[in-house]
Amino acid sequence: MGAEKKSGGCWGWILVLIVAGVIAAAIVIAIRMKTRHSGASPVPGPPGAIDTKYSDALKIAIQFFDVQKSGKLVNNKIPWRGDSALKDGSEAKLDLSKGMYDAGDHMKFGFPMAFTATVMSWAILEYGDQMDAVHQLEPARDAVKWITDYLINAHPRDNVLYIQVGDPVLDHNCWDRPETMSEKRPLTQVNTSSPGTEVAAETAAAMAAASLVFKSTDSTYSSTLLEHAKQLFDFSDKYRGSYSVSIPEVATYYNSTGYRDELLWAASWLYHATGDDAYLNYVTVENGKAFANWGSPTWFSWDDKLPGTQVLLSRISFFSAKGISNSENSGLNMYRKTAEAIMCGLIPDSPTATTSRTENGLIWVSEWNSLQHPVASAFLAAVYSDYMLTSQTAALSCDGKSYSPSDLRKFAASQADYVLGDNPMKLSYLVGYGDKFPQYVHHRGASIPTDSKTSCKDGFKWLKSKDPNPNVAVGGLVGGPFLNETFIDDRNNTMQTEPSTYNSAVLVGLLSGLVTTSSVVRSFT
């Protein structure tokens, strides 16, 4: 009897296992059928195979932040750079020696510098695992911290923010190395009587985004950044006024076309950093209709944060687990609809594709620094593509025609490839990448030999020199081609040959998104 019971129990369990297997197989088939029917792509997991082209380019691009560092350099990786601007901020008894030089000059412009930190932080938050796969996560974090260390010191009191170090007129009347510059470097601030909403709000965005970057590695530093972000946002919102109006001289270099986009951008980052619904309410209910220009796509740049805000807020509707309303009338839905319109405008064969392109497909918006807009647009396209892919959103509808995440990624790659040499000039616009790249970059430190004894005025002989730069401004993304896709490699051709930190930030974001495939995180916290 005992033997018969054991045998019967065994066959019973086998029967149960067979039935369970049939049910499991049916479930798998049903899921596959549903996925096939919906057209959704499989969700990628951890970083996959590395694309060597983009990996190599990323490793080069990220070095430009070392080229641009001000202050006492630690573990200096650029042999022709040294300590500089060690007394910056001393007139206000502040240490503003860190931060980064804006472009080929020695100015520290707080508005584009803060934007650089915001975009770099965003890139790390979306693509940190991909950066880490090619050993670039730590250099990226280091670049962000070099800027945020400066921004913390530039905000000594609640309603005071130092937004510029150096006088552009004095600075541009010299051609010298940062290590030997001797011209005066006065400070410029915004405060309650001279407000600067856009620069204060952008700085708040940078600190809020960076607080998320350092949350798991340095919680104390993260908390400090977040506290500054909250204070700066309150200051920017309470004392509204454009810094271009309060301080007219700044309009010559980084004129702001308005501050409403920065308020939305900063509040969006503070929502992600804090989870406080008051910030979400600020952008969707209180100010969305008035500030967001819903339904009218624009170009992402250091001056216009609306496209970035629209994509960043789309992340909430893609991934939120809080049941936030996404109805037709909700502000959140309007941000996503506008983000979709941006994406539809970028895909080349979309019915609503923008005609602002060169003959060979490069997005072309501005003659000055022409690569800024295509690279920034491609970065947004890569991010939005990954939101779709990770959330298994199968298609994007553009005036009745459907496009997949891979269509957006293909566009993003086309802009990156153009930058890296797939263009009529067969020239890499990323300095140091490939066999052919600009040799006469408009950059003082790169143009002057390290053993030169030149001072402010006599250094101009190096600007006028017919010889290539003695130092390579490695990782610099130069201004780029004209509309006819020509490029004149000349040190005096500032609009085409000058690199900038904010150009590098969007390029690092784009390359990090292309270096390999991976799911983006559903939450930054």
Side-chain angles (χ1 to χ4, degrees):
M1 286 289 291
E4 288 179 1
K5 270 190 175 180
K6 185 176 179 181
S7 176
C10 180
W11 282 110
W13 279 111
I14 290 173
L15 183 61
V16 168
L17 290 172
I18 291 172
V19 171
V22 170
I23 293 171
I27 291 171
V28 170
I29 292 169
I31 291 172
R32 286 180 177 173
M33 290 293 287
K34 182 178 180 181
T35 303
R36 195 173 298 151
H37 178 72
S38 69
S41 302
V43 181
I50 302 299
D51 188 309
T52 304
K53 173 175 61 176
Y54 299 129
S55 172
D56 291 347
L58 176 60
K59 291 173 184 176
I60 289 170
I62 216 159
Q63 291 181 60
F64 190 62
F65 298 111
D66 286 324
V67 170
Q68 296 302 97
K69 282 181 177 178
S70 167
K72 187 169 184 60
L73 303 186
V74 180
N75 299 321
N76 182 24
K77 301 178 180 64
I78 308 299
W80 51 272
R81 280 300 326 278
D83 297 346
S84 63
L86 297 179
K87 294 182 179 179
D88 277 4
S90 58
E91 69 179 70
K93 297 182 179 179
L94 298 173
D95 179 6
L96 299 181
S97 60
K98 279 190 173 183
M100 294 187 185
Y101 301 118
D102 176 64
D105 55 16
H106 302 149
M107 289 298 298
K108 294 178 189 175
F109 292 111
F111 193 24
M113 193 198 303
F115 175 72
T116 297
T118 311
V119 172
M120 281 293 288
S121 295
W122 193 7
I124 291 168
L125 293 168
E126 301 287 7
Y127 298 122
D129 60 341
Q130 302 189 186
M131 290 179 175
D132 199 31
V134 292
H135 311 295
Q136 297 307 301
L137 178 57
E138 284 311 309
R141 281 181 179 149
D142 174 71
V144 171
K145 192 172 186 297
W146 202 267
I147 295 175
T148 53
D149 283 352
Y150 165 88
L151 295 177
I152 288 171
N153 289 350
H155 179 228
R157 298 183 296 282
D158 282 8
N159 296 327
V160 172
L161 176 66
Y162 286 87
I163 54 104
Q164 184 173 295
V165 180
D167 180 330
V169 176
L170 292 175
D171 187 89
H172 290 182
N173 278 327
C174 291
W175 192 268
D176 49 5
R177 298 177 64 240
E179 292 81 3
T180 60
M181 62 179 171
S182 57
E183 59 270 21
K184 291 182 178 179
R185 293 178 63 77
L187 307 178
T188 305
Q189 66 169 252
V190 293
N191 49 48
T192 56
S193 57
S194 296
T197 294
E198 58 277 275
V199 64
E202 180 60 61
T203 307
M207 290 183 163
S211 76
L212 289 164
V213 168
F214 296 105
K215 192 169 185 177
S216 62
T217 58
D218 190 339
S219 60
T220 302
Y221 189 67
S222 173
S223 297
T224 298
L225 287 168
L226 188 54
E227 189 61 30
H228 280 278
K230 291 175 181 177
Q231 291 173 2
L232 281 164
F233 179 74
D234 290 344
F235 166 49
S236 68
D237 193 35
K238 183 176 180 181
Y239 298 94
R240 291 185 184 180
S242 174
Y243 92 135
S244 298
V245 175
S246 299
I247 312 168
E249 53 267 32
V250 304
T252 305
Y253 298 95
Y254 288 99
N255 181 48
S256 170
T257 55
Y259 56 71
R260 299 184 299 178
D261 55 318
E262 278 83 20
L263 286 172
L264 297 176
W265 176 240
S268 300
W269 277 111
L270 278 161
Y271 172 71
H272 280 287
T274 65
D276 186 341
D277 287 337
Y279 293 114
L280 186 61
N281 190 63
Y282 184 95
V283 298
T284 57
V285 178
E286 294 178 26
N287 299 293
K289 194 171 184 180
F291 290 2
N293 203 19
W294 288 327
S296 300
T298 54
W299 299 104
F300 188 41
S301 71
W302 59 263
D303 180 44
D304 187 353
K305 316 301 162 42
L306 283 180
T309 302
Q310 287 145 5
V311 170
L312 181 64
L313 290 176
S314 296
R315 160 178 267 285
I316 301 170
S317 62
F318 274 115
F319 302 127
S320 178
K322 294 175 66 175
I324 295 172
S325 172
N326 219 8
S327 67
E328 286 298 316
N329 296 321
S330 74
L332 199 58
N333 190 62
M334 292 305 297
Y335 281 105
R336 180 162 168 179
K337 279 185 174 294
T338 310
E340 289 174 350
I342 293 169
M343 297 305 129
C344 289
L346 298 177
I347 298 171
D349 66 346
S350 162
T352 57
T354 180
T355 57
S356 298
R357 302 175 200 265
T358 66
E359 185 178 341
N360 287 275
L362 180 74
I363 292 289
W364 202 90
V365 178
S366 172
E367 185 175 59
W368 195 286
N369 190 15
S370 63
L371 286 176
Q372 178 186 188
H373 293 103
V375 175
S377 298
F379 169 57
L380 294 186
V383 169
Y384 203 85
S385 168
D386 288 331
Y387 289 173
M388 291 178 67
L389 192 62
T390 302
S391 65
Q392 289 200 284
T393 302
L396 170 69
S397 179
C398 302
D399 203 18
K401 190 172 180 181
S402 294
Y403 295 91
S404 68
S406 62
D407 291 315
L408 281 173
R409 189 175 179 87
K410 183 179 179 182
F411 161 75
S414 75
Q415 304 301 287
D417 292 346
Y418 191 106
V419 167
L420 298 179
D422 186 10
N423 56 64
M425 298 291 291
K426 302 302 178 187
L427 175 74
S428 165
Y429 292 108
L430 175 62
V431 179
Y433 179 85
D435 298 326
K436 184 183 177 185
F437 53 83
Q439 301 296 307
Y440 296 83
V441 178
H442 184 90
H443 190 280
R444 293 180 203 176
S447 71
I448 303 174
T450 55
D451 59 355
S452 171
K453 303 301 182 183
T454 52
S455 58
C456 169
K457 293 295 184 182
D458 58 0
F460 278 102
K461 68 181 182 183
W462 299 109
L463 171 64
K464 299 171 185 175
S465 170
K466 300 299 182 183
D467 295 327
N469 287 353
N471 307 310
V472 179
V474 61
L477 177 63
V478 296
F482 289 131
L483 180 57
N484 65 3
E485 301 184 277
T486 60
F487 178 84
I488 301 170
D489 191 7
D490 187 299
R491 217 174 276 115
N492 267 310
N493 181 14
T494 311
M495 71 170 64
Q496 285 194 296
T497 65
E498 186 171 24
S500 63
T501 51
Y502 50 91
N503 269 12
S504 292
V506 289
L507 181 62
V508 165
L510 171 59
L511 294 172
S512 298
L514 295 176
V515 74
T516 183
T517 55
S518 175
S519 298
V520 292
V521 295
R522 293 177 175 269
S523 172
F524 292 148
T525 56

